Amino acid sequence: MTQQWHYSAGSQRVGPVSDPVMRQMIGAGQLPHDTLVWTEGMANWVPASSVESWRDAFASAPTVVAPPTAPGPLGVEAARRVDPGIAMLVPVGRSAYAIIAGYLGLFSVLLLPAPFALLSGILALRDIKKHPEKRGKGRAIFGIVMGVLGTGLLAFVVISSMAR
């Protein structure tokens, strides 16, 4: 049985992949030399170019240039460069769901918007997890907390009015 490898592709781990397939990927220029790899028996992940048995494959492989990543609406770097003071006031790079959750959370004291604040807060957290360049986690959590409190109070009011 051939040696089985795992390698990193962005934030994901891929594998197991056989040694011959890894060599083919290197030869085709599909595996950059700085890709982290691991196999059973290794203590840590290491750059692929440091694997002794692959050095000849890297020597004859074409140079791999990492493909550009698609930025978000502002671009990941631009979203991170926004002044924090301005970002608190202006919803730059913020999830639309988080903005909605924040406002619905404020109005959840009226009880009816509370379930919608809860729902939009959950959607905002999912959106932020899917798009790490977006901000607004605090607003999303605020929407969830106020949504839970308002929905609980709304349920209490509805149940107590039905009991009469």
Side-chain angles (χ1 to χ4, degrees):
M1 186 170 149
T2 63
Q3 194 169 19
Q4 298 293 309
W5 290 88
H6 299 264
Y7 66 94
S8 65
S11 62
Q12 294 184 335
R13 303 291 188 213
V14 180
V17 178
S18 68
D19 192 73
V21 171
M22 293 293 281
R23 288 178 146 284
Q24 285 176 342
M25 290 173 63
I26 294 167
Q30 297 172 337
L31 193 73
H33 65 87
D34 59 346
T35 301
L36 295 177
V37 297
W38 177 86
T39 189
E40 191 173 321
M42 294 176 69
N44 296 313
W45 291 72
V46 297
S49 60
S50 69
V51 176
E52 187 69 35
S53 64
W54 295 345
R55 293 204 181 182
D56 60 328
F58 275 112
S60 62
T63 303
V64 178
V65 177
T69 57
L74 272 178
V76 175
E77 290 307 312
R80 291 185 180 139
R81 281 182 281 167
V82 174
D83 180 68
I86 296 295
M88 288 178 65
L89 299 173
V90 181
V92 177
R94 209 167 261 132
S95 168
Y97 290 118
I99 295 168
I100 293 167
Y103 283 113
L104 287 174
L106 285 174
F107 291 113
S108 67
V109 296
L110 301 173
L111 301 185
L112 290 179
F116 300 107
L118 177 61
L119 176 65
S120 59
I122 292 168
L123 291 174
L125 288 180
R126 289 180 64 199
D127 186 40
I128 292 167
K129 185 176 181 180
K130 188 184 279 187
H131 305 289
E133 74 275 5
K134 291 186 178 179
R135 299 177 180 189
K137 192 172 183 179
R139 288 183 187 217
I141 292 171
F142 175 75
I144 291 171
V145 169
M146 292 303 290
V148 166
L149 293 174
T151 302
L153 190 56
L154 178 64
F156 176 75
V157 167
V158 169
I159 291 170
S160 64
S161 67
M162 291 175 63
R164 291 183 190 181

